[in-house]
Amino acid sequence: CLGVPAPPITDENRYATLILNTVLGGGMSSRLFQTIREERGLAYSIYSDLSPYRDTGNLCVYAGTSANKALEVVDLILAEFRDLKQTQIAAEELTRAKDQVKGNILMGLESSGSRMANLARQEMYFHQFFSAEEIIARVNEVEAEHVQTMAQRLFNPESIAVTLLGRLDGVKLSRNRLNC
């Protein structure tokens, strides 16, 4: 797992952060899934997860891989961090990520439990309710430069936390390696 601090749930940049997470590791079309699992076969499971809270949040990348591939996977994750910081995402990738986020929002309306949890979260954090149309409009406002700005803000080498778990005989990871 590689994690970085992320904005709290009420941050104005929450939709750009959500799109960033989706592009990075939010599904089978994400960069990490395509590069690390599909193209290179280095991990069976790889994804990123955004967890915003009242006063802070985190964005965490998880990869299930073998010990002898762990450092290569870390390097590839950091390469994606670096690329997202240095280069704006293409219009097609932005559209695909927005469509995925909007689809997830609409699918969440299908479950009464999910709908109830969403309403409770909105009341607790915002003291008001946002319609699906309002949220989708905010997702649609996200531009490629917003995503790049969030990547530059979040993927700071000094802020990256790493956990390696398993039989790691001989695997050494230094702070110097975490440059992105």
Side-chain angles (χ1 to χ4, degrees):
C1 291
L2 279 81
V4 295
I9 196 166
T10 57
D11 190 281
E12 279 303 309
N13 297 301
R14 64 186 170 273
Y15 298 104
T17 310
L18 186 58
I19 297 295
L20 172 61
N21 177 64
T22 302
V23 167
L24 179 64
M28 291 173 42
S29 65
S30 72
R31 290 179 175 203
L32 293 175
F33 191 92
Q34 287 301 308
T35 300
I36 293 173
R37 180 178 175 188
E38 295 300 299
E39 292 172 16
R40 299 188 186 222
L42 296 174
Y44 181 76
S45 178
I46 184 153
Y47 60 89
S48 63
D49 185 46
L50 179 63
S51 300
Y53 303 106
R54 181 179 305 278
D55 59 347
T56 190
N58 70 67
L59 189 151
C60 184
V61 175
Y62 168 84
T65 190
S66 61
N68 63 333
K69 301 293 183 189
L71 295 178
E72 184 178 0
V73 170
V74 168
D75 289 343
L76 288 168
I77 293 167
L78 294 170
E80 289 300 338
F81 286 4
R82 199 169 23 261
D83 188 53
L84 286 163
K85 287 169 59 173
Q86 294 173 354
T87 308
Q88 285 186 10
I89 61 174
E92 179 182 307
E93 189 174 25
L94 178 63
T95 299
R96 189 172 53 245
K98 285 180 180 183
D99 288 346
Q100 181 177 336
V101 168
K102 292 184 289 189
N104 290 343
I105 290 165
L106 295 174
M107 292 298 290
L109 297 175
E110 297 295 318
S111 157
S112 58
S114 175
R115 189 174 215 153
M116 182 177 58
N118 183 40
L119 291 172
R121 190 171 30 258
Q122 288 185 39
E123 175 61 29
M124 287 188 313
Y125 294 120
F126 300 100
H127 307 292
Q128 71 179 58
F129 299 107
F130 300 101
S131 68
E133 293 78 19
E134 289 173 295
I135 295 170
I136 287 171
R138 293 292 307 272
V139 169
N140 283 332
E141 291 172 1
V142 175
E143 300 292 336
E145 55 267 18
H146 301 139
V147 177
Q148 183 181 23
T149 297
M150 285 311 300
Q152 292 166 348
R153 179 176 158 192
L154 299 183
F155 301 144
N156 179 349
E158 293 81 35
S159 300
I160 297 173
V162 180
T163 298
L164 300 174
L165 182 64
R167 289 192 167 275
L168 300 167
D169 301 333
V171 175
K172 300 276 189 251
L173 179 64
S174 71
R175 169 78 37 204
N176 294 340
R177 192 175 196 126
L178 300 179
N179 254 338
C180 59

